[in-house]
Amino acid sequence: CLAAENILLNLLLLRTIRKERENHASLLQDHLDLEQTFSRKLALETDRNLRGTALDLHDGVGQELAGMQLYLRSIFKQVGRPELTDGVSQEMARVMESVRASAHRIYPPELMEGGLRHALIRLTKRLHNFGEISSAVVGNMPGLTEDASLHWYRIAQEAISNAQRHGRAKSIDVYLTPGAMVIVDDGMGLQGQPVDGLGLRGLRQRAALLGCSVNLREGDGIGAILEVRSLTKDPN
């Protein structure tokens, strides 16, 4: 009888331990879900606030500076000092360009003008202007929300920057299909690129917010290939 009681107690104890483990696992999953939801909401709200700041800089401060430039030109003409106009105009133009550049870094206006493909074409065009880099944007990813467009753009921006800085690439091509982005470069591959740097962590976080997987691998004989693909049927 004593042996039977011990067996029964052990079985009850095992059942209790198993139940506690299940409860612990459930609580842990709930915590992870809440953390992921919070991170997603925080990222979305941050991007939306930054978008508003960029618009304020571009359309608000930029337009006010342009008006100030015209006002000063009129004042100089009235006081008989038109020779001051050129110097002030140049300085005001420099300040306005600085404001536009700041607004662009916060939120690229090309996304509002023509969507993701348009913004990426403008981004890769700047590669031609500022260095000996060939690039192309192939395909499209239509129907994206503003939030999703920004995430995809920032992913491409980070990947292109890594290919330039770490891979020393001379050719960077971006391929778009609904729910997927593939970026191919001809650089040094992954040998000089940190696998868990701040930029790549941010890239992976944005991909996770989009419900996408990230696969960064060596290219076919040269360079690197970044694949970001949606895990859901709705990539938007």
Side-chain angles (χ1 to χ4, degrees), residues 4-116:
E5 289 180 359
N6 287 336
I7 292 174
L8 181 59
L9 287 173
N10 286 333
L11 289 175
L12 290 173
L13 180 60
L14 288 173
R15 182 179 179 182
T16 302
I17 292 174
R18 188 181 300 114
K19 188 65 175 179
E20 288 296 325
R21 287 178 175 174
E22 291 174 354
N23 290 338
H24 177 74
S26 178
L27 288 173
L28 179 60
Q29 186 60 51
D30 289 343
H31 174 75
L32 293 174
D33 290 342
L34 286 172
E35 185 177 277
Q36 185 177 21
T37 299
F38 175 77
S39 296
R40 180 180 178 85
K41 289 182 177 179
L42 179 61
L44 290 175
E45 289 302 316
T46 300
D47 284 339
R48 286 168 182 164
N49 289 333
L50 289 176
R51 182 159 62 241
T53 301
L55 287 172
D56 288 341
L57 282 173
H58 188 273
D59 297 337
V61 178
Q63 295 302 321
E64 289 179 11
L65 286 171
M68 181 67 71
Q69 185 180 34
L70 294 174
Y71 176 73
L72 289 175
R73 184 177 299 171
S74 175
I75 292 296
F76 291 145
K77 185 177 181 180
Q78 290 179 21
V79 299
R81 298 293 303 277
E83 71 277 5
L84 297 177
T85 300
D86 290 341
V88 171
S89 294
Q90 291 176 5
E91 183 62 17
M92 294 292 285
R94 184 191 66 78
V95 174
M96 285 189 289
E97 180 58 34
S98 177
V99 169
R100 281 193 291 268
S102 297
H104 187 278
R105 284 191 295 270
I106 295 173
Y107 189 88
E110 293 89 354
L111 278 175
M112 292 179 282
E113 295 169 1
L116 179 63

